[in-house]
Amino acid sequence: MSKQQSKMICPKCGDEMNHHADKLVYPGSAQEAEKMDPTLGGVIDETHCLPAPAALSRHAGQNDF
Amino acid sequence: MPIDDAGDGIKDPMFSQKMAMADGLVIVTPEYNHSFPGLLKHVLDSCLKEYIHKPAGIVGVSAGPFGGVRVIQDFLPVLRELGLVNIFWDVNFGNVGKVFDESGNLLDPAFVGRTDKFLNELVWMSKTLRHGRDNIALGS
């Protein structure tokens, strides 16, 4: 994963979120398999945090937003 | 909470919100047959994103002398897979029937200091990981 990516924007408040975690998830369906990173053999599930409580948002794949 | 195996499909909105708001968790668990209660695992499995990169301190409780040390050991892989970070200090209430009276009053003052140490570390970890989640980007 590149170190420089555009920040994820919170769809509720428009603030920038911090990308602080990735998890490799093995695809369980054909739809998920389409998002698979072939070099890792799975889908990267990202976790982003807004600097405010209860503002976590999670995305399946870095190109989904 | 329904007793089926749907994981986050049976997420309780109030529990989810509390976990999302929390910067750290204190998990108090009895030891059942050297492990954790199934219902504790059932509740924890209903969330995931709410926990990631947050600290958890474990308080083990047992009727016998070991104070839940085996449940804590057994619980660590579960915490890790939930994205939680375990802290360095535990509290172990062994012989719990003798540690509290029938009204729930603590009888052994040594637990005050032990719990204070536990909470101090949990707060430190909560602040540190909060700063990281908010400000330090993965791969930066």
Short mmCIF file of all heavy atoms in Angstrom, two decimals, chain B residues 20-70:
data_model
loop_
_atom_site.label_atom_id
_atom_site.label_comp_id
_atom_site.label_asym_id
_atom_site.label_seq_id
_atom_site.Cartn_x
_atom_site.Cartn_y
_atom_site.Cartn_z
N ALA B 20 -18.35 1.95 20.28
CA ALA B 20 -17.77 2.95 19.38
C ALA B 20 -17.32 4.19 20.15
O ALA B 20 -16.31 4.82 19.82
CB ALA B 20 -18.79 3.34 18.30
N MET B 21 -18.05 4.53 21.19
CA MET B 21 -17.71 5.72 21.99
C MET B 21 -16.52 5.47 22.90
O MET B 21 -15.80 6.40 23.26
CB MET B 21 -18.92 6.13 22.85
CG MET B 21 -20.11 6.61 22.07
SD MET B 21 -19.90 8.27 21.44
CE MET B 21 -20.03 9.22 22.95
N ALA B 22 -16.33 4.23 23.29
CA ALA B 22 -15.30 3.92 24.28
C ALA B 22 -13.90 4.06 23.69
O ALA B 22 -13.67 3.73 22.53
CB ALA B 22 -15.49 2.49 24.78
N ASP B 23 -12.98 4.54 24.50
CA ASP B 23 -11.57 4.56 24.11
C ASP B 23 -10.82 3.39 24.73
O ASP B 23 -9.65 3.17 24.40
CB ASP B 23 -10.91 5.87 24.55
CG ASP B 23 -11.27 7.01 23.60
OD1 ASP B 23 -11.58 6.74 22.43
OD2 ASP B 23 -11.25 8.17 24.04
N GLY B 24 -11.43 2.67 25.64
CA GLY B 24 -10.81 1.50 26.25
C GLY B 24 -11.87 0.65 26.90
O GLY B 24 -12.96 1.14 27.24
N LEU B 25 -11.57 -0.63 27.08
CA LEU B 25 -12.54 -1.56 27.66
C LEU B 25 -11.96 -2.24 28.91
O LEU B 25 -10.79 -2.62 28.91
CB LEU B 25 -12.90 -2.66 26.66
CG LEU B 25 -14.01 -2.40 25.64
CD1 LEU B 25 -13.60 -1.34 24.64
CD2 LEU B 25 -14.36 -3.68 24.91
N VAL B 26 -12.79 -2.37 29.91
CA VAL B 26 -12.50 -3.25 31.04
C VAL B 26 -13.42 -4.44 30.91
O VAL B 26 -14.64 -4.29 30.90
CB VAL B 26 -12.75 -2.54 32.39
CG1 VAL B 26 -12.54 -3.52 33.54
CG2 VAL B 26 -11.86 -1.32 32.55
N ILE B 27 -12.83 -5.62 30.76
CA ILE B 27 -13.62 -6.82 30.61
C ILE B 27 -13.48 -7.66 31.87
O ILE B 27 -12.38 -8.13 32.20
CB ILE B 27 -13.19 -7.63 29.37
CG1 ILE B 27 -13.36 -6.79 28.10
CG2 ILE B 27 -13.99 -8.94 29.27
CD1 ILE B 27 -12.84 -7.44 26.83
N VAL B 28 -14.56 -7.79 32.61
CA VAL B 28 -14.57 -8.58 33.84
C VAL B 28 -15.19 -9.92 33.50
O VAL B 28 -16.33 -9.97 33.03
CB VAL B 28 -15.38 -7.88 34.94
CG1 VAL B 28 -15.34 -8.70 36.23
CG2 VAL B 28 -14.86 -6.47 35.18
N THR B 29 -14.42 -10.98 33.69
CA THR B 29 -14.95 -12.28 33.28
C THR B 29 -14.65 -13.36 34.32
O THR B 29 -13.55 -13.43 34.86
CB THR B 29 -14.35 -12.72 31.92
OG1 THR B 29 -14.85 -14.02 31.59
CG2 THR B 29 -12.83 -12.76 31.93
N PRO B 30 -15.64 -14.19 34.58
CA PRO B 30 -15.37 -15.37 35.39
C PRO B 30 -14.65 -16.42 34.55
O PRO B 30 -14.61 -16.32 33.32
CB PRO B 30 -16.77 -15.85 35.78
CG PRO B 30 -17.65 -15.41 34.65
CD PRO B 30 -17.05 -14.12 34.16
N GLU B 31 -14.09 -17.38 35.24
CA GLU B 31 -13.45 -18.49 34.53
C GLU B 31 -14.35 -19.71 34.63
O GLU B 31 -14.65 -20.19 35.72
CB GLU B 31 -12.09 -18.80 35.16
CG GLU B 31 -11.35 -19.93 34.46
CD GLU B 31 -9.95 -20.12 35.01
OE1 GLU B 31 -9.16 -19.16 34.98
OE2 GLU B 31 -9.65 -21.22 35.49
N TYR B 32 -14.77 -20.19 33.46
CA TYR B 32 -15.61 -21.39 33.42
C TYR B 32 -14.82 -22.49 32.70
O TYR B 32 -14.52 -22.36 31.51
CB TYR B 32 -16.90 -21.13 32.63
CG TYR B 32 -17.89 -20.18 33.28
CD1 TYR B 32 -18.95 -19.67 32.53
CD2 TYR B 32 -17.78 -19.80 34.61
CE1 TYR B 32 -19.88 -18.80 33.11
CE2 TYR B 32 -18.70 -18.92 35.18
CZ TYR B 32 -19.73 -18.43 34.43
OH TYR B 32 -20.65 -17.58 35.00
N ASN B 33 -14.49 -23.54 33.41
CA ASN B 33 -13.75 -24.65 32.80
C ASN B 33 -12.51 -24.17 32.05
O ASN B 33 -12.27 -24.52 30.89
CB ASN B 33 -14.65 -25.46 31.87
CG ASN B 33 -15.80 -26.10 32.61
OD1 ASN B 33 -15.64 -26.51 33.76
ND2 ASN B 33 -16.97 -26.17 31.99
N HIS B 34 -11.75 -23.29 32.70
CA HIS B 34 -10.49 -22.74 32.19
C HIS B 34 -10.68 -21.73 31.05
O HIS B 34 -9.70 -21.35 30.40
CB HIS B 34 -9.51 -23.84 31.71
CG HIS B 34 -8.99 -24.69 32.81
ND1 HIS B 34 -7.91 -25.53 32.63
CD2 HIS B 34 -9.37 -24.84 34.10
CE1 HIS B 34 -7.66 -26.17 33.76
NE2 HIS B 34 -8.54 -25.76 34.67
N SER B 35 -11.90 -21.30 30.76
CA SER B 35 -12.10 -20.39 29.63
C SER B 35 -13.18 -19.36 29.98
O SER B 35 -13.60 -19.24 31.12
CB SER B 35 -12.47 -21.20 28.38
OG SER B 35 -12.45 -20.37 27.24
N PHE B 36 -13.58 -18.62 28.96
CA PHE B 36 -14.54 -17.53 29.16
C PHE B 36 -15.97 -18.04 28.94
O PHE B 36 -16.18 -19.03 28.24
CB PHE B 36 -14.24 -16.36 28.22
CG PHE B 36 -13.84 -16.79 26.83
CD1 PHE B 36 -14.80 -17.13 25.90
CD2 PHE B 36 -12.50 -16.90 26.48
CE1 PHE B 36 -14.43 -17.53 24.62
CE2 PHE B 36 -12.13 -17.32 25.22
CZ PHE B 36 -13.08 -17.63 24.29
N PRO B 37 -16.95 -17.33 29.47
CA PRO B 37 -18.34 -17.73 29.24
C PRO B 37 -18.72 -17.57 27.76
O PRO B 37 -18.33 -16.58 27.11
CB PRO B 37 -19.14 -16.73 30.09
CG PRO B 37 -18.17 -16.14 31.04
CD PRO B 37 -16.84 -16.17 30.37
N GLY B 38 -19.48 -18.50 27.27
CA GLY B 38 -19.91 -18.42 25.88
C GLY B 38 -20.70 -17.15 25.58
O GLY B 38 -20.58 -16.58 24.49
N LEU B 39 -21.46 -16.69 26.55
CA LEU B 39 -22.27 -15.49 26.29
C LEU B 39 -21.39 -14.23 26.16
O LEU B 39 -21.75 -13.30 25.43
CB LEU B 39 -23.31 -15.29 27.40
CG LEU B 39 -24.48 -16.29 27.37
CD1 LEU B 39 -25.41 -16.05 28.55
CD2 LEU B 39 -25.26 -16.18 26.05
N LEU B 40 -20.27 -14.21 26.84
CA LEU B 40 -19.34 -13.07 26.68
C LEU B 40 -18.81 -13.04 25.24
O LEU B 40 -18.79 -11.99 24.59
CB LEU B 40 -18.19 -13.18 27.68
CG LEU B 40 -17.08 -12.14 27.53
CD1 LEU B 40 -17.60 -10.72 27.72
CD2 LEU B 40 -15.94 -12.43 28.53
N LYS B 41 -18.41 -14.18 24.75
CA LYS B 41 -17.92 -14.27 23.37
C LYS B 41 -19.04 -13.90 22.38
O LYS B 41 -18.81 -13.21 21.39
CB LYS B 41 -17.43 -15.70 23.12
CG LYS B 41 -16.93 -16.00 21.70
CD LYS B 41 -15.56 -15.42 21.47
CE LYS B 41 -14.83 -16.08 20.30
NZ LYS B 41 -15.57 -16.21 19.07
N HIS B 42 -20.23 -14.36 22.67
CA HIS B 42 -21.38 -14.08 21.80
C HIS B 42 -21.61 -12.56 21.68
O HIS B 42 -21.81 -12.05 20.57
CB HIS B 42 -22.61 -14.76 22.41
CG HIS B 42 -23.87 -14.61 21.62
ND1 HIS B 42 -24.06 -15.19 20.39
CD2 HIS B 42 -25.01 -13.92 21.89
CE1 HIS B 42 -25.26 -14.89 19.94
NE2 HIS B 42 -25.85 -14.11 20.82
N VAL B 43 -21.56 -11.87 22.79
CA VAL B 43 -21.78 -10.42 22.77
C VAL B 43 -20.62 -9.73 22.05
O VAL B 43 -20.84 -8.86 21.19
CB VAL B 43 -21.93 -9.88 24.21
CG1 VAL B 43 -21.90 -8.37 24.21
CG2 VAL B 43 -23.22 -10.39 24.82
N LEU B 44 -19.40 -10.10 22.37
CA LEU B 44 -18.25 -9.44 21.73
C LEU B 44 -18.24 -9.66 20.22
O LEU B 44 -17.87 -8.77 19.46
CB LEU B 44 -16.94 -9.94 22.34
CG LEU B 44 -16.67 -9.49 23.78
CD1 LEU B 44 -15.45 -10.21 24.34
CD2 LEU B 44 -16.48 -7.98 23.85
N ASP B 45 -18.65 -10.84 19.79
CA ASP B 45 -18.65 -11.15 18.35
C ASP B 45 -19.67 -10.34 17.55
O ASP B 45 -19.64 -10.36 16.32
CB ASP B 45 -18.92 -12.65 18.13
CG ASP B 45 -17.72 -13.51 18.43
OD1 ASP B 45 -16.61 -12.97 18.57
OD2 ASP B 45 -17.89 -14.75 18.52
N SER B 46 -20.53 -9.63 18.23
CA SER B 46 -21.55 -8.86 17.51
C SER B 46 -20.99 -7.53 16.97
O SER B 46 -21.68 -6.84 16.22
CB SER B 46 -22.76 -8.59 18.41
OG SER B 46 -22.43 -7.71 19.46
N CYS B 47 -19.78 -7.19 17.34
CA CYS B 47 -19.14 -5.97 16.83
C CYS B 47 -17.75 -6.30 16.33
O CYS B 47 -17.19 -7.36 16.64
CB CYS B 47 -19.02 -4.91 17.94
SG CYS B 47 -20.60 -4.24 18.52
N LEU B 48 -17.17 -5.41 15.53
CA LEU B 48 -15.76 -5.54 15.16
C LEU B 48 -15.13 -4.16 14.98
O LEU B 48 -14.20 -3.79 15.68
CB LEU B 48 -15.57 -6.36 13.88
CG LEU B 48 -14.11 -6.47 13.40
CD1 LEU B 48 -13.23 -7.13 14.45
CD2 LEU B 48 -14.01 -7.23 12.08
N LYS B 49 -15.68 -3.38 14.05
CA LYS B 49 -15.04 -2.10 13.75
C LYS B 49 -14.99 -1.18 14.97
O LYS B 49 -14.11 -0.33 15.08
CB LYS B 49 -15.74 -1.41 12.59
CG LYS B 49 -17.14 -0.92 12.89
CD LYS B 49 -17.70 -0.15 11.69
CE LYS B 49 -18.99 0.57 11.98
NZ LYS B 49 -20.16 -0.23 11.98
N GLU B 50 -15.92 -1.41 15.88
CA GLU B 50 -15.99 -0.58 17.08
C GLU B 50 -14.78 -0.77 17.99
O GLU B 50 -14.49 0.07 18.84
CB GLU B 50 -17.26 -0.91 17.87
CG GLU B 50 -18.56 -0.55 17.15
CD GLU B 50 -19.09 -1.67 16.26
OE1 GLU B 50 -18.30 -2.57 15.87
OE2 GLU B 50 -20.29 -1.66 15.95
N TYR B 51 -14.07 -1.91 17.84
CA TYR B 51 -12.99 -2.24 18.77
C TYR B 51 -11.58 -1.90 18.25
O TYR B 51 -10.63 -1.89 19.04
CB TYR B 51 -12.96 -3.75 19.03
CG TYR B 51 -14.22 -4.41 19.50
CD1 TYR B 51 -14.68 -5.59 18.90
CD2 TYR B 51 -14.96 -3.91 20.58
CE1 TYR B 51 -15.81 -6.23 19.34
CE2 TYR B 51 -16.10 -4.55 21.02
CZ TYR B 51 -16.52 -5.72 20.39
OH TYR B 51 -17.64 -6.37 20.83
N ILE B 52 -11.44 -1.70 16.98
CA ILE B 52 -10.11 -1.80 16.36
C ILE B 52 -9.15 -0.74 16.89
O ILE B 52 -9.45 0.45 16.90
CB ILE B 52 -10.23 -1.73 14.83
CG1 ILE B 52 -10.98 -2.97 14.32
CG2 ILE B 52 -8.85 -1.66 14.18
CD1 ILE B 52 -11.31 -2.95 12.85
N HIS B 53 -8.00 -1.23 17.37
CA HIS B 53 -6.93 -0.41 17.95
C HIS B 53 -7.39 0.32 19.22
O HIS B 53 -7.04 1.49 19.44
CB HIS B 53 -6.34 0.55 16.93
CG HIS B 53 -5.52 -0.14 15.88
ND1 HIS B 53 -5.12 0.47 14.72
CD2 HIS B 53 -5.02 -1.40 15.82
CE1 HIS B 53 -4.41 -0.37 13.99
NE2 HIS B 53 -4.35 -1.53 14.64
N LYS B 54 -8.16 -0.38 20.03
CA LYS B 54 -8.53 0.12 21.36
C LYS B 54 -8.00 -0.86 22.41
O LYS B 54 -7.99 -2.07 22.18
CB LYS B 54 -10.05 0.27 21.49
CG LYS B 54 -10.63 1.33 20.56
CD LYS B 54 -12.12 1.47 20.75
CE LYS B 54 -12.67 2.57 19.84
NZ LYS B 54 -14.14 2.73 19.99
N PRO B 55 -7.58 -0.36 23.57
CA PRO B 55 -7.04 -1.26 24.59
C PRO B 55 -8.13 -1.93 25.41
O PRO B 55 -9.20 -1.35 25.63
CB PRO B 55 -6.21 -0.32 25.46
CG PRO B 55 -6.91 0.99 25.36
CD PRO B 55 -7.49 1.05 23.97
N ALA B 56 -7.80 -3.12 25.86
CA ALA B 56 -8.70 -3.85 26.76
C ALA B 56 -7.91 -4.38 27.93
O ALA B 56 -6.85 -4.98 27.76
CB ALA B 56 -9.38 -5.00 26.02
N GLY B 57 -8.41 -4.14 29.12
CA GLY B 57 -7.85 -4.73 30.33
C GLY B 57 -8.80 -5.79 30.83
O GLY B 57 -10.02 -5.64 30.74
N ILE B 58 -8.23 -6.89 31.32
CA ILE B 58 -9.07 -8.02 31.72
C ILE B 58 -8.99 -8.21 33.24
O ILE B 58 -7.91 -8.21 33.82
CB ILE B 58 -8.64 -9.33 31.03
CG1 ILE B 58 -8.41 -9.10 29.54
CG2 ILE B 58 -9.70 -10.41 31.25
CD1 ILE B 58 -7.81 -10.33 28.86
N VAL B 59 -10.15 -8.39 33.84
CA VAL B 59 -10.26 -8.72 35.25
C VAL B 59 -10.77 -10.16 35.33
O VAL B 59 -11.90 -10.44 34.90
CB VAL B 59 -11.22 -7.76 35.98
CG1 VAL B 59 -11.34 -8.15 37.44
CG2 VAL B 59 -10.74 -6.32 35.83
N GLY B 60 -9.94 -11.05 35.83
CA GLY B 60 -10.33 -12.44 35.96
C GLY B 60 -10.92 -12.71 37.34
O GLY B 60 -10.42 -12.19 38.34
N VAL B 61 -11.97 -13.50 37.36
CA VAL B 61 -12.66 -13.81 38.61
C VAL B 61 -12.83 -15.32 38.71
O VAL B 61 -13.26 -15.96 37.75
CB VAL B 61 -14.05 -13.13 38.65
CG1 VAL B 61 -14.77 -13.47 39.95
CG2 VAL B 61 -13.93 -11.62 38.49
N SER B 62 -12.47 -15.87 39.88
CA SER B 62 -12.67 -17.31 40.04
C SER B 62 -12.98 -17.65 41.49
O SER B 62 -12.60 -16.92 42.41
CB SER B 62 -11.43 -18.09 39.58
OG SER B 62 -10.32 -17.80 40.42
N ALA B 63 -13.66 -18.75 41.64
CA ALA B 63 -13.97 -19.23 42.99
C ALA B 63 -12.72 -19.83 43.63
O ALA B 63 -12.56 -19.80 44.85
CB ALA B 63 -15.08 -20.27 42.93
N GLY B 64 -11.83 -20.36 42.81
CA GLY B 64 -10.60 -20.97 43.30
C GLY B 64 -9.49 -19.95 43.46
O GLY B 64 -9.71 -18.74 43.31
N PRO B 65 -8.29 -20.41 43.73
CA PRO B 65 -7.20 -19.51 44.12
C PRO B 65 -6.51 -18.76 42.97
O PRO B 65 -5.75 -17.84 43.24
CB PRO B 65 -6.20 -20.45 44.80
CG PRO B 65 -6.44 -21.78 44.17
CD PRO B 65 -7.90 -21.83 43.88
N PHE B 66 -6.73 -19.14 41.73
CA PHE B 66 -5.88 -18.61 40.66
C PHE B 66 -6.40 -17.32 40.02
O PHE B 66 -5.73 -16.75 39.16
CB PHE B 66 -5.66 -19.69 39.59
CG PHE B 66 -5.03 -20.94 40.15
CD1 PHE B 66 -5.68 -22.15 40.06
CD2 PHE B 66 -3.81 -20.89 40.80
CE1 PHE B 66 -5.12 -23.31 40.58
CE2 PHE B 66 -3.23 -22.03 41.35
CZ PHE B 66 -3.90 -23.25 41.24
N GLY B 67 -7.56 -16.87 40.39
CA GLY B 67 -8.03 -15.54 39.97
C GLY B 67 -8.25 -15.38 38.48
O GLY B 67 -8.08 -14.30 37.93
N GLY B 68 -8.62 -16.45 37.83
CA GLY B 68 -8.95 -16.34 36.41
C GLY B 68 -7.75 -16.23 35.50
O GLY B 68 -7.87 -15.76 34.36
N VAL B 69 -6.58 -16.67 35.94
CA VAL B 69 -5.40 -16.57 35.06
C VAL B 69 -5.57 -17.40 33.80
O VAL B 69 -5.07 -17.03 32.73
CB VAL B 69 -4.10 -16.98 35.80
CG1 VAL B 69 -3.76 -16.00 36.88
CG2 VAL B 69 -4.18 -18.39 36.34
N ARG B 70 -6.30 -18.49 33.89
CA ARG B 70 -6.45 -19.33 32.70
C ARG B 70 -7.45 -18.74 31.72
O ARG B 70 -7.26 -18.83 30.51
CB ARG B 70 -6.84 -20.75 33.12
CG ARG B 70 -5.69 -21.45 33.86
CD ARG B 70 -6.12 -22.72 34.52
NE ARG B 70 -7.10 -22.52 35.57
CZ ARG B 70 -7.27 -23.33 36.62
NH1 ARG B 70 -6.54 -24.41 36.76
NH2 ARG B 70 -8.20 -23.07 37.52
#
